[in-house]
Amino acid sequence: MGEVRIKRAIERVPGGMMVVPLLVGAVIATLFPTTPKVFGSFTGALFTGALPILAVFYVCMGASIDFRATPYIVKKGGTLLVVKVGVAMILGVIFGRLLGEAPIGAGVFAGLSTLAIVAAMNDTNGGLYMALMGQYGRPRDVGAYTIMCLESGPFLTMLTLGVAGLSAFPWQTMVGSILPLVVGMILGNLDREMRAFLGRAVPVMIPFFAFALGTGLDLTKIWQAGLLGLGLGVAVVVVTGIPLFFADRLTGGTGVAGVAACSTAGNAAAVPAIIAAANPAYAEAAAPATVLVAATVVVTAILTPLATAWTARHFGEPVEPEAAAELDAAPPVPERA
């Protein structure tokens, strides 16, 4: 009997390890909504256990972040991080004034919310960024993602929503949202073997929390994310890509690294549910925001490589033969969908 290459088929889909399990969960929840109750036990827990899985995910992700990054990596990664999050904050303030916490209820923009916009803008697809930098950039630009990893998780989204003047979060909740990442960073920097051990688990957990998130979605509403999700994905690439391009050039780059960071990470689709769990004011916006952000993951995974290739062709310079030692202080970061 021939081998069925399931993993390879899933990975052909942009953000596949996040998007495909999420859609599978949504199909089961829509067609067989009583499944968790019928089977109960571990099966039922898998349908409702996104948050515990995500807590472990962020510990493992934190372990991959090295405190001993070189000055260039800190400068490059820090600049891209500040610009990406800064754009999200500006948009959060603008749309927070217009929309508040609730999503738009009807019309072409039904389901769009400040939460969806901020979550889509805040987090960069690390695996995509590193792959593009490996092809078009310089070795040390790949290492910049060790700093950009700090985008991961709901903390910056909570901070952005607070800055936007929307429903705030208690300081305990804010600390709790970043604590797993910090614990992972401490463990990974105290023990290199622990970093390697935990880091390997990052890609493994993505399909599991994606499936659990998908079981909370109604497929009858996903069609609404069609054009709206496409539009949000294009907006992420354009609205974050342009300032990231100029920020990269101001730090001595060609602009290629900035454009390569204008995507949305697959695990950003988990943020709306975490936000709603922390503050019920966002409960109504969470489900449609999850769908929109998941659509944005796919759209940006297609557009960002095209934009990066165009930028490299028009503004890029030949890859410098820099010493690989530049990355020795910052081990590779596990890819995120």
Side-chain angles (χ1 to χ4, degrees):
M1 181 176 177
E3 182 180 1
V4 180
R5 300 188 181 277
I6 299 173
K7 181 175 181 288
R8 187 171 298 179
I10 292 175
E11 289 176 337
R12 288 197 182 102
V13 179
M17 280 298 176
M18 176 76 193
V19 174
V20 172
L22 186 142
L23 291 177
V24 170
V27 169
I28 295 175
T30 302
L31 300 180
F32 310 102
T34 61
T35 300
K37 294 181 180 179
V38 170
F39 291 99
S41 189
F42 298 118
T43 301
L46 185 58
F47 277 70
T48 58
L51 294 183
I53 299 173
L54 279 163
V56 179
F57 173 81
Y58 288 125
V59 171
C60 297
M61 175 60 69
S64 67
I65 301 175
D66 196 334
F67 289 146
R68 299 169 300 170
T70 63
Y72 176 88
I73 289 174
V74 172
K75 181 179 75 171
K76 175 72 70 177
T79 300
L80 297 181
L81 169 69
V82 168
V83 171
K84 188 85 184 277
V85 175
V87 170
M89 284 190 173
I90 293 171
L91 292 174
V93 170
I94 295 172
F95 284 93
R97 297 286 187 272
L98 297 174
L99 303 178
E101 294 91 349
I104 296 175
V108 177
F109 297 102
L112 185 65
S113 63
T114 307
L115 175 60
I117 294 169
V118 172
M121 297 282 177
N122 251 342
D123 203 348
T124 297
N125 185 325
L128 181 62
Y129 171 83
M130 289 187 287
L132 291 172
M133 284 297 92
Q135 182 175 356
Y136 299 110
R138 298 169 290 189
R140 57 185 181 180
D141 288 328
V142 178
Y145 191 68
T146 57
I147 305 300
M148 296 163 65
C149 264
L150 295 173
E151 296 171 354
S152 183
F155 176 76
L156 289 176
T157 299
M158 289 183 180
L159 184 62
T160 300
L161 294 172
V163 170
L166 302 179
S167 295
F169 299 84
W171 70 266
Q172 297 94 332
T173 301
M174 296 283 286
V175 172
S177 69
I178 201 173
L179 194 56
L181 194 73
V182 172
V183 169
M185 290 172 65
I186 294 172
L187 290 173
N189 282 272
L190 288 177
D191 185 350
R192 185 173 298 180
E193 291 182 0
M194 184 64 80
R195 174 185 297 148
F197 172 71
L198 293 174
R200 285 192 292 267
V202 172
V204 175
M205 276 182 278
I206 290 173
F208 291 99
F209 73 68
F211 174 83
L213 289 171
T215 60
L217 301 178
D218 184 352
L219 268 182
T220 59
K221 297 180 180 178
I222 286 185
W223 68 272
Q224 296 176 351
L227 290 177
L228 190 56
L230 174 63
L232 184 57
V234 172
V236 169
V237 173
V238 174
V239 175
T240 68
I242 292 174
L244 283 169
F245 169 81
F246 287 108
D248 184 30
R249 292 184 70 86
L250 287 173
T251 56
T254 62
V256 176
V259 176
C262 69
S263 57
T264 301
N267 59 279
V271 170
I274 300 174
I275 296 294
N279 191 330
Y282 297 96
E284 185 181 356
T290 299
V291 174
L292 284 172
V293 176
T296 302
V297 172
V298 177
V299 173
T300 59
I302 295 171
L303 294 182
T304 300
L306 297 177
T308 304
W310 184 88
T311 305
R313 189 163 59 250
H314 289 83
F315 299 96
E317 301 170 357
V319 176
E320 299 173 8
E322 293 158 320
E326 290 177 318
L327 292 179
D328 287 347
V333 182
E335 294 187 6
R336 285 192 289 163

